[in-house]
């Protein structure tokens, strides 16, 4: 399964203060031209929260790698649990 197929249906599963889900279409106008042209291949998210931006961008653009982090350790542990044990959940 390729990355595009893998993430096609992925959406945030958490509500998060400051979440961007409702703003994703409006924010797209502020993305770098290089992203729209396919020159940007790496996505770095220092404030992951609900991961709305990540899920949106990974589905729409040709991102080859992503570094996702947040200061909230419990949030990151939650994402790791989902990543590593999704079938168990």
């Amino acid at each position: 399964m390729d990355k595009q197929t893998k993430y096609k249906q992925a959406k945030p599963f958490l509500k998060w203060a400051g979440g961007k889900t409702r703003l994703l279409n409006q924010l797209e106008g502020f993305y770098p031209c290089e992203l729209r042209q396919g020159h940007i291949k790496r996505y770095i998210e220092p404030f992951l929260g609900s991961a709305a931006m990540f899920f949106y961008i990974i589905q729409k653009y040709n991102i080859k790698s992503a570094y996702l982090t947040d200061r909230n350790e419990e949030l990151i542990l939650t994402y790791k649990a989902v990543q590593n044990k999704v079938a168990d959940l």
Side-chain angles (χ1 to χ4, degrees):
M1 176 183 306
D2 69 357
K3 175 194 61 94
Q4 296 300 80
T5 303
K6 182 178 178 179
Y7 291 110
K8 190 158 181 89
Q9 301 300 320
K11 293 182 181 180
F13 61 91
L14 297 170
K15 285 284 190 184
W16 203 256
K20 310 285 182 298
T21 301
R22 295 182 184 179
L23 301 173
L24 292 171
N25 290 328
Q26 292 109 325
L27 291 172
E28 191 163 5
F30 296 100
Y31 296 168
C33 295
E34 293 84 1
L35 178 63
R36 290 189 290 270
Q37 295 167 350
H39 300 299
I40 295 176
K41 303 293 182 192
R42 184 182 330 164
Y43 179 79
I44 300 172
E45 177 60 73
F47 309 109
L48 188 59
S50 72
M53 293 287 291
F54 166 70
F55 288 125
Y56 183 80
I57 287 174
I58 198 78
Q59 291 175 54
K60 191 159 184 167
Y61 299 101
N62 192 22
I63 300 297
K64 299 289 184 195
S65 66
Y67 179 79
L68 310 173
T69 190
D70 197 285
R71 186 176 174 116
N72 185 323
E73 261 184 71
E74 292 171 358
L75 176 67
I76 296 303
L77 288 173
T78 300
Y79 280 110
K80 285 182 179 180
V82 170
Q83 177 186 26
N84 297 325
K85 301 188 182 233
V86 72
D88 294 343
L89 295 172

